[in-house]
Amino acid sequence: ETGVTQSPTHLIKTRGQQVTLRCSSQSGHNTVSWYQQALGQGPQFIFQYYREEENGRGNFPPRFSGLQFPNYSSELNVNALELDDSALYLCASRPSYSGNTIYFGEGSWLTVV
Amino acid sequence: KQEVTQIPAALSVPEGENLVLNCSFTDSAIYNLQWFRQDPGKGLTSLLLIQSSQREQTSGRLNASLDKSSGRSTLYIAASQPGDSATYLCAAPAYNQGGKLIFGQGTELSVKP
């Protein structure tokens, strides 16, 4: 049990639609990051939030955006969905900026058709 | 730019065998390296976190080593069991990019009864 919960667990969207994925972290975990994991690949860093501000971004287009809230929850929003966005999206949190063990949620499986 | 490689991509062993999983990284200026386990369709579970000041870290039947000079880490699993079957991922932090982790593609381990 990592204390990180994600919703929904599975969803199917149509190309061009928008999706919002949600994550709830442990109390005190003020750093949250999101990763995309395609089938058979390692997770790829999308972005990181620290105290509600984005402070790091991977090689993903602006249609990938996020929010972090004071209650340790966060969102990943993806606009104009493409077929290649089909993947497992993982939320991870940690109690400080860097250096400590990171805790992952179970992920949200997104299928774009 | 940090790159992480895991070899082999897949490994099948009989129950009871001791085994070693390999992880290589290109940027030796890391402050830690982490090993994760991922069951099919699930999120990541942290197994071991090795700080740069350590050479080894142990948890039960698992032992992880870190050699920064050679850019290598190994995960040793003693007396493997069918329940160890999963994908094992290593991750190194990206240099000067906060908590961003760079993952290898993973080694899919199958332990046969």
Side-chain angles (χ1 to χ4, degrees):
Chain A
E1 182 61 48
T2 66
V4 180
T5 57
Q6 293 187 240
S7 63
T9 55
H10 295 80
L11 72 166
I12 300 173
K13 289 286 189 177
T14 303
R15 188 171 51 182
Q17 285 188 315
Q18 179 267 343
V19 68
T20 296
L21 307 178
R22 294 180 172 83
C23 174
S24 177
S25 306
Q26 292 185 43
S27 176
H29 282 205
N30 49 26
T31 301
V32 66
S33 48
W34 287 87
Y35 289 80
Q36 179 196 66
Q37 187 178 22
L39 208 58
Q41 303 295 315
Q44 299 289 319
F45 177 79
I46 302 174
F47 46 56
Q48 175 173 282
Y49 279 78
Y50 175 66
R51 293 185 174 178
E52 302 163 48
E53 291 194 8
E54 183 181 302
N55 72 342
R57 190 174 185 91
N59 189 27
F60 282 81
R63 59 190 186 84
F64 286 78
S65 63
L67 286 171
Q68 185 186 25
F69 303 100
N71 64 353
Y72 305 106
S73 66
S74 60
E75 290 180 355
L76 165 64
N77 299 289
V78 187
N79 294 321
L81 285 167
E82 301 177 0
L83 298 179
D84 285 347
D85 295 333
S86 297
L88 177 66
Y89 288 85
L90 296 162
C91 169
S93 70
R94 65 176 86 210
S96 66
Y97 185 69
S98 63
N100 297 84
T101 300
I102 190 169
Y103 300 90
F104 279 85
E106 290 293 306
S108 294
W109 278 103
L110 172 65
T111 301
V112 183
V113 299
Chain B
K1 177 185 173 186
Q2 181 71 276
E3 295 181 4
V4 179
T5 304
Q6 291 186 249
I7 295 174
L11 181 64
S12 182
V13 300
E15 182 177 5
E17 194 163 293
N18 302 325
L19 59 101
V20 175
L21 305 181
N22 297 295
C23 172
S24 300
F25 48 92
T26 55
D27 185 351
S28 62
I30 59 173
Y31 50 86
N32 63 43
L33 185 136
Q34 199 158 178
W35 283 90
F36 295 88
R37 169 183 172 140
Q38 186 173 32
D39 292 296
K42 299 294 186 179
L44 277 64
T45 300
S46 178
L47 296 174
L48 290 165
L49 170 67
I50 314 175
Q51 301 293 350
S52 61
S53 58
Q54 301 173 311
R55 293 188 64 85
E56 288 189 2
Q57 189 69 258
T58 298
S59 176
R61 295 183 292 109
L62 305 180
N63 176 276
S65 68
L66 176 63
D67 185 345
K68 290 178 59 178
S69 62
S70 66
R72 293 182 179 180
S73 177
T74 61
L75 179 66
Y76 174 83
I77 302 177
S80 59
Q81 303 171 358
D84 295 331
S85 298
T87 296
Y88 291 82
L89 297 138
C90 66
Y95 178 72
N96 210 26
Q97 294 188 49
K100 175 181 177 180
L101 293 177
I102 306 296
F103 282 84
Q105 290 188 312
T107 294
E108 185 177 358
L109 173 65
S110 176
V111 181
K112 304 296 186 183

